[in-house]
Amino acid sequence: MTRKRLGKAVLLSLLLMNVCKEGGATEYNAAITGNETDYDSIKEVDIVSGEVKYTFTGENTVENKGSNSFQPIKVSGKTVTVAVGDKLTLTGKGTGVSPVNTGNILATGSTGSLTFTGGTLDVTDLTEYPKSNYTIHANSGASIVFDNAVTNIGEGNLTQSSMGIMVTGAASKVIFTENADSLKINSATGIYVNGGSFSFDNTEGSVLIENNPEDRKRDTGGPGIEVAGGSLTLKGRETVIKTTDADGTVGGAAVSVTERDKDNILNFEADKTILTGGAFGIYVDGSLVNPADTIKTNINFSGETQITAYNNDGLDDYVGCVAVCAYFPDAKINFAKQAVLTAETNNNTKNVGAGACIQSGSSLTAEQGLQVNVKTAGDYGYGLFASGSGSLIDVTGLTAVDVVSGSGEIRGVQGFSGAEVKMNGAVKVAGKS
């Protein structure tokens, strides 16, 4: 072949490759299950292993506009990989049935495995009140792996019963790999783990979890993260969790931990973690634990940390406003770098406003100092508060506490009823009532 003809052949080949790469925008209206035939043109099945791969190119949508309920991806007993191309949008509508079977993206059973690769994955839901929906759900030992670059989980259904990501079952897991640059969730509850595990593993990536009640109707807001027996790890440059509006009048805790019959391990390993919650930044509830059990909770922060709690204009008149709250036994909250704890409430209640309340044998440890800011209209304003046998607050470095109360008692650092408070460094306390 002459050089001229060879050049033309190469050019034509490149053009064809570009056309194939870009692909055409296509709307699909059938669920991906690994067993269907609607995707034969982009589907490969390994004849030996039975593994299934779908390869999308360009930008595409999976949506069934004519169905009352629709799950774009439902995998059970299959190993499935979806290459999302440049962008794949999955639009589902919740079934409103048992949580076991729900999820816009559902992988269920110990042999259910789902992996995403490629570019951007957008997942939205159209479920309306009062039905429930779990947008991404790994259940009964299944795994979902996000090896794609960007994942956006849009608003869930129009109530606080929606969850962005749900992991249920002892061996179930959801993993965002080193290739996952960004995860964004806007749902009433961001991530819920019960018995399984969740991890975001890209040390250069970012996680944003928001509950914007103004985006939904009939929504007072759930927690950003809820763990009820299981593990969660968030690496990255920055993790931001925001569950309350700008006025602090609606929304749940940024991080809520319910101690049941399994240990809880939460590792916040981002360079910077910012938590903003309604009434509580972190709340550990051990009220459901049998006193004879030895259930433990460990919450660890590796990077710089800011935790803020708001409780304004009647968000919840029956509880206080506490940035870090552990009312129950065997919760250990550890800060490896400096932490800033802020609590602000204008509710004039009999309850406490505090940077931290550590009780019943739980502990808070800060290795590089604490800055605590409390502003309350109620009767009590505490910077750091520890109570109960075995309870511990242990701070190394500068402890700076600023407490303002509109009408009541204020205390910078308080430990009593068998609790221990260690201040290994300078302590600065300012108060005004």
Side-chain angles (χ1 to χ4, degrees):
M1 181 179 292
T2 66
R3 180 178 298 178
K4 187 175 181 179
R5 291 181 177 177
L6 177 61
K8 288 183 177 179
V10 170
L11 179 60
L12 178 60
S13 177
L14 290 173
L15 288 172
L16 289 173
M17 287 176 62
N18 189 56
V19 169
C20 292
K21 179 181 178 181
E22 292 299 325
T26 304
E27 287 192 17
Y28 298 88
N29 61 7
I32 293 174
T33 66
N35 297 314
E36 83 303 310
T37 59
D38 301 80
Y39 295 87
D40 281 354
S41 63
I42 60 169
K43 178 179 174 182
E44 301 174 60
V45 181
D46 189 290
I47 60 174
V48 177
S49 66
E51 296 181 6
V52 183
K53 182 177 181 179
Y54 302 81
T55 302
F56 290 90
T57 57
E59 298 187 4
N60 300 278
T61 300
V62 178
E63 178 180 12
N64 189 334
K65 297 179 181 179
S67 174
N68 289 327
S69 63
F70 178 61
Q71 294 168 270
I73 297 181
K74 186 176 182 180
V75 172
S76 176
K78 288 278 186 180
T79 297
V80 172
T81 297
V82 178
V84 302
D86 295 329
K87 182 179 179 180
L88 179 63
T89 299
L90 305 176
T91 302
K93 195 168 184 180
T95 61
V97 297
S98 165
V100 172
N101 298 314
T102 59
N104 273 232
I105 298 175
L106 173 66
T108 185
S110 59
T111 56
S113 175
L114 176 62
T115 299
F116 294 95
T117 64
T120 298
L121 179 67
D122 282 353
V123 189
T124 60
D125 179 66
L126 302 177
T127 305
E128 297 179 358
Y129 181 87
K131 293 182 178 180
S132 301
N133 184 68
Y134 310 106
T135 311
I136 293 172
H137 188 185
N139 176 61
S140 300
S143 69
I144 302 177
V145 178
F146 294 86
D147 195 46
N148 57 301
V150 175
T151 301
N152 300 315
I153 302 173
E155 55 268 35
N157 66 347
L158 305 182
T159 77
Q160 67 183 75
S161 57
S162 68
M163 294 182 185
I165 296 177
M166 186 177 187
V167 188
T168 53
S172 300
K173 55 184 176 287
V174 171
I175 300 169
F176 287 78
T177 72
E178 295 86 347
N179 293 321
D181 296 327
S182 171
L183 166 62
K184 294 181 181 180
I185 302 175
N186 180 1
S187 191
T189 295
I191 300 171
Y192 175 77
V193 179
N194 186 343
S197 65
F198 175 95
S199 66
F200 184 91
D201 294 332
N202 186 353
T203 56
E204 297 297 320
S206 63
V207 175
L208 172 62
I209 300 174
E210 291 184 294
N211 172 8
N212 296 330
E214 60 267 27
D215 291 347
R216 291 181 298 279
K217 303 173 183 177
R218 307 177 70 104
D219 184 11
T220 56
I225 289 175
E226 183 173 358
V227 178
S231 67
L232 176 139
T233 298
L234 294 174
K235 299 179 182 179
R237 289 179 289 101
E238 185 174 74
T239 294
V240 177
I241 301 173
K242 182 177 181 292
T243 58
T244 182
D245 64 356
D247 298 324
T249 58
V250 294
V255 175
S256 177
V257 179
T258 303
E259 297 178 328
R260 296 179 184 269
D261 56 356
K262 296 181 179 66
D263 292 346
N264 298 287
I265 301 175
L266 289 78
N267 294 316
F268 293 86
E269 298 180 9
D271 297 336
K272 188 172 186 178
T273 297
I274 301 173
L275 309 180
T276 305
F280 301 99
I282 296 175
Y283 180 73
V284 181
D285 182 357
S287 61
L288 299 179
V289 175
N290 186 327
D293 292 338
T294 57
I295 303 302
K296 294 180 173 59
T297 291
N298 285 279
I299 305 176
N300 305 303
F301 293 87
S302 301
E304 295 181 5
T305 305
Q306 297 177 13
I307 302 176
T308 302
Y310 292 111
N311 188 347
N312 290 327
D313 295 330
L315 184 150
D316 196 331
D317 291 328
Y318 300 100
V319 301
C321 180
V322 185
V324 177
C325 180
Y327 284 147
F328 298 94
D330 293 322
K332 301 186 186 309
I333 301 166
N334 307 301
F335 299 99
K337 294 186 177 179
Q338 187 186 57
V340 179
L341 310 181
T342 301
E344 294 187 11
T345 175
N346 62 17
N347 282 335
N348 190 17
T349 70
K350 299 285 185 183
N351 294 286
V352 68
C357 282
I358 307 298
Q359 299 190 41
S360 305
S362 290
S363 68
L364 181 153
T365 301
E367 298 179 21
Q368 294 187 17
L370 279 179
Q371 180 180 331
V372 182
N373 307 297
V374 177
K375 185 176 181 180
T376 175
D379 289 346
Y380 301 97
Y382 293 143
L384 300 174
F385 175 93
S387 175
S389 177
S391 298
L392 172 67
I393 292 177
D394 187 354
V395 182
T396 299
L398 173 64
T399 303
V401 180
D402 188 355
V403 182
V404 176
S405 175
S407 60
E409 178 181 329
I410 61 173
R411 301 186 184 186
V413 180
Q414 175 72 59
F416 60 89
S417 301
E420 183 177 8
V421 177
K422 297 180 179 180
M423 300 283 107
N424 304 305
V427 180
K428 296 180 180 180
V429 178
K432 181 180 178 181
S433 177

